[in-house]
Amino acid sequence: MKNILRAGILAACLSSAATSTAADAAPAANAAPVYAPYVDMTAWPTPILDQIGVQQGIQQFTLAFVVAGNGCVPSWGGVQNIGPDNSSDLLTSIAGSITNYRGQGGEVAVSFGGANGEPLAQACTSVDALAAAYQTVIDTYNLTHLDFDIEGTAIVDSASIARNFQAVAQLQRATAAKGGALHVTLTLPVMPTGLTQDGLNVIGAALGNQLVFDNVNIMTMDYGGTINDMGAATLQAASSVYQQLDLLYKAAGQSKTDAQLWQLIGVTPMIGVNDSPGETFTLDNAQNVAIVASNDGFGALGIWSIGRDQACAAGPGGSASPSCSGVAQASFAFSAIFNKALPASWGKGVTQNPSYGGNPGGPSANAPWSASQIYTSGNTVTYQGATYRAQWWTQGEVPTAGGPWLKIA
């Protein structure tokens, strides 16, 4: 569906982008389209990336969300500061989970922003301070992929948006000077008719500040009213954004081919029951979106979120839950559909193993529990005839006492 843009919208978006050539100076997207579902890392219990990833054959995750803690300090969800001077069970669990997952061939991106909390771009008042805050997270988790989820009041804060892209472009240049690459995605709200004026302004600011981004990841969810076919609405939104990006790049003197434009499209639906009443993204919707994404060469697919990719105990229906989809489904059914459509990987590649139970580089999986052994998130042990999985760092805590141990068999 063709989306019509007024000249005023283009002028607002392109006033600072017309002379930029940075977007053509580097690859516009990853080598191959990927499925990178969001994971709420502040959920309880803390998600175990290697177990989910290896058991389901998922190649990469987008970890959400890093926002400002106390001032210009990066934190998980505003509750746990990140950096070398900080320690906690949550930080140990996340770091161990990432390490274990990478050991199995997986990779991660960290997403900054989201719907809640204060974005670092608003809390940090200078480009250098903001770049330093991002660098702290990059160094902590050895990141090569960053996502910026810009929504709510942040999307209308033009000063913080410009500061954000100046800081990230600075980091990209510094990384390139060392022979590396820092991949960036921009996650924005959307309507079936395409990006809003605010979203277009964000893209204009990114181009104008010489940011190189892999794709524009549109949040095809919560449109605010009854949508009979969320799959069709998702594809309409993708087509609309395709047309918008085509016009933006042409006006900036950086025309893209059809394949390049589709690779600039990322799509992330909220699976199952959405926050807006009357909106439900079904498994059939996922199948239809997956077919088009594969055929047209979308740059990415995601879901909000991996923790919701399972049926609710109460059955289908109800309001949106942070821990289940609200539709009848097998566990990780949405992931299976999208992962098959876009199976490429950022890392060395995960080999699916449904029986995987822990990190082979640490304690042997399902070995008898030892009081002297240090266990981290994802390690499994046997004790008194049962199998337990560590949810965070632990030593000397008997599995039957609960605490860090979850009985799984």
Side-chain angles (χ1 to χ4, degrees):
M1 173 180 173
K2 186 174 181 179
N3 186 70
I4 304 300
L5 292 178
R6 297 189 304 272
I9 293 179
L10 278 172
C13 292
L14 297 172
S15 60
S16 62
T19 60
S20 172
T21 59
D24 276 344
N30 292 300
V34 298
Y35 172 55
Y38 281 85
V39 186
D40 183 356
M41 297 308 293
T42 59
W44 181 257
T46 306
I48 304 173
L49 301 177
D50 59 311
Q51 288 206 357
I52 300 171
V54 175
Q55 289 175 6
Q56 305 305 321
I58 298 171
Q59 303 295 326
Q60 51 272 313
F61 293 107
T62 302
L63 313 186
F65 285 107
V66 171
V67 296
N70 183 17
C72 183
V73 177
S75 75
W76 286 109
V79 298
Q80 176 55 68
N81 290 349
I82 299 168
D85 297 328
N86 298 284
S87 62
S88 70
D89 288 340
L90 176 62
L91 292 178
T92 299
S93 179
I94 291 174
S97 192
I98 292 173
T99 298
N100 295 350
Y101 184 45
R102 284 181 174 144
Q104 296 298 316
E107 192 48 88
V108 301
V110 165
S111 184
F112 296 86
N116 300 310
E118 183 181 20
L120 281 165
Q122 292 183 309
C124 303
T125 56
S126 73
V127 171
D128 287 345
L130 180 57
Y134 289 149
Q135 190 67 58
T136 294
V137 182
I138 291 170
D139 291 344
T140 299
Y141 299 114
N142 298 312
L143 299 174
T144 56
H145 290 77
L146 308 180
D147 174 65
F148 293 91
D149 184 322
I150 304 172
E151 54 182 302
T153 59
I155 202 171
V156 298
D157 187 346
S158 59
S160 72
I161 289 169
R163 183 164 55 245
N164 187 64
F165 294 149
Q166 289 163 16
V168 180
Q170 176 179 304
L171 293 173
Q172 284 186 321
R173 291 191 293 269
T175 303
K178 299 176 182 177
L182 185 62
H183 293 270
V184 171
T185 55
L186 307 178
T187 296
L188 298 170
V190 75
M191 296 295 290
T193 52
L195 296 170
T196 64
Q197 173 67 70
D198 295 326
L200 292 170
N201 291 341
V202 170
I203 303 300
L207 293 174
N209 286 289
Q210 301 185 359
L211 181 77
V212 180
F213 53 90
D214 289 355
N215 58 66
V216 178
N217 177 41
I218 53 176
M219 294 182 281
T220 56
M221 61 185 81
D222 294 340
Y223 296 123
T226 298
I227 303 289
N228 293 325
D229 188 335
M230 287 291 284
T234 294
L235 294 174
Q236 182 184 0
S239 180
S240 298
V241 174
Y242 170 98
Q243 297 289 343
Q244 290 175 316
L245 291 176
D246 185 31
L247 290 173
L248 285 168
Y249 277 103
K250 283 179 178 175
Q254 302 173 26
S255 294
K256 303 291 184 184
T257 66
D258 286 347
Q260 288 174 326
L261 286 168
W262 282 122
Q263 202 170 21
L264 283 165
I265 301 293
V267 169
T268 295
M270 182 176 184
I271 55 174
V273 177
N274 281 214
D275 297 306
S276 296
E279 296 182 21
T280 300
F281 188 87
T282 68
L283 287 168
D284 285 342
N285 295 155
Q287 289 280 11
N288 293 335
V289 170
I291 291 170
V292 175
S294 178
N295 291 341
D296 288 350
F298 285 16
L301 286 172
I303 60 169
W304 181 262
S305 61
I306 200 70
R308 301 182 68 252
D309 198 358
Q310 58 185 336
C312 298
S319 57
S321 166
S323 58
C324 57
S325 67
V327 299
Q329 66 159 105
S331 294
F332 302 105
F334 285 95
S335 290
I337 294 169
F338 281 178
N339 198 35
K340 183 178 180 180
L342 303 185
S345 62
W346 292 334
K348 296 178 180 178
V350 171
T351 299
Q352 185 172 8
N353 178 6
S355 63
Y356 174 83
N359 173 29
S364 298
N366 299 344
W369 174 79
S370 169
S372 62
Q373 175 69 55
I374 293 175
Y375 299 98
T376 58
S377 172
N379 294 151
T380 56
V381 300
T382 57
Y383 185 75
Q384 294 183 347
T387 302
Y388 297 83
R389 182 176 64 214
Q391 301 181 90
W392 56 82
W393 188 98
T394 178
Q395 182 182 32
E397 296 180 86
V398 178
T400 51
W405 294 104
L406 178 68
K407 186 176 181 180
I408 60 174

